[in-house]
Amino acid sequence: MFLEFDKISFSYPEVLALDCISFKVARGEIVGLIGANGAGKTTAILHIIRYLNPKSGKIRMDGVDISKIKNEDFPVSYIPDTPVFYEELTLLEHLHFLKALYPDNKLSIDEIIDKLEILDHLHKVPSALSKGTKQKLMIALALLRRYELLIADEPFSGLDPKQIGIFRQVLEECRQEQKAVLLSTHLLDMVDGTCDRYIMLHRGKLIAIGTKQDIIQRNALDPDSTLEQVYLTLVGKEI
């Protein structure tokens, strides 16, 4: 497994955000990290990108504790739930800036412009972009980094149906290139059938992990259940 999230616990003041959570993500697979708002998804991600330090447990990539990986070698690219930009730079200048930082990335600026259909917005600053185009810029910047693990936190926010289709193609290309993908969302219909496996969180606890079919069979649920129905049924058992 490329990513090992091993018995991680973390608390905010008066809130247990992660309660001894363990999961793994392999190269060449898309794993859905799903749950309602407040389930612990973003907290888990913030640990993986080293923004937070666990109270207990270890996180490893290729068997190495992530705290021991140099910043310049850290193999993670992150699409946050809230876009972050340099307000004075145009969309194109953002792309050139990232490409200058990661010149060994084989993906060219022209390819990313074509892939995400952002040609008409190249000379606009972020404040002039729609929510969907801002999100596509975040995706573009993530893809221009050097990475082995792509993390996307609520990536469908602001995307229209066509843009969602484009992003799903991007995820499939990551899978084919043997990248690991961790896709976090509470919009379960968006990832039903998209992911190879699912990690289901509820109030900081791990309530299920595996393929959709594995989770359904393990819990004796209706085999025709949607992912949302599966999750809500399991949450109901926790109450």
Side-chain angles (χ1 to χ4, degrees), residues 3 10 29 43 46 52 54 67 74 78 101-102 110 112-113 126 128 139 143 150 159 184 200 216-217:
L3 171 68
F10 183 82
E29 73 169 349
T43 300
L46 293 178
L52 294 175
S67 66
F74 198 56
Y78 173 45
L101 292 176
Y102 302 96
D110 287 341
I112 201 73
I113 289 170
I139 295 168
L143 296 180
L150 176 66
L159 298 183
S184 172
M200 297 185 176
I216 286 174
Q217 292 176 354

Side-chain angles (χ1 to χ4, degrees), residues 45-115:
I45 288 171
L46 293 178
H47 278 79
I48 297 170
I49 64 172
R50 306 193 297 191
Y51 187 84
L52 294 175
N53 295 315
K55 302 300 182 184
S56 62
K58 296 288 184 180
I59 304 172
R60 304 177 188 87
M61 291 182 187
D62 270 346
V64 179
D65 189 318
I66 63 170
S67 66
K68 302 184 185 304
I69 302 174
K70 296 179 180 179
N71 287 337
E72 59 268 28
D73 297 327
F74 198 56
V76 177
S77 197
Y78 173 45
I79 304 171
D81 58 343
T82 301
V84 180
F85 304 108
Y86 294 101
E87 288 296 340
E88 68 276 14
L89 298 184
T90 66
L91 189 155
L92 183 59
E93 287 170 337
H94 277 88
L95 300 182
H96 278 290
F97 178 63
L98 259 292
K99 189 62 178 177
L101 292 176
Y102 302 96
D104 55 342
N105 189 324
K106 295 180 180 179
L107 185 64
S108 71
I109 289 175
D110 287 341
E111 287 174 316
I112 201 73
I113 289 170
D114 182 62
K115 183 188 297 287

Side-chain angles (χ1 to χ4, degrees), residues 190-209:
M190 293 291 185
V191 294
D192 196 345
T194 299
C195 301
D196 300 293
R197 294 187 299 116
Y198 298 93
I199 300 159
M200 297 185 176
L201 300 180
H202 176 62
R203 295 180 179 174
K205 296 181 181 295
L206 179 67
I207 60 172
I209 188 168

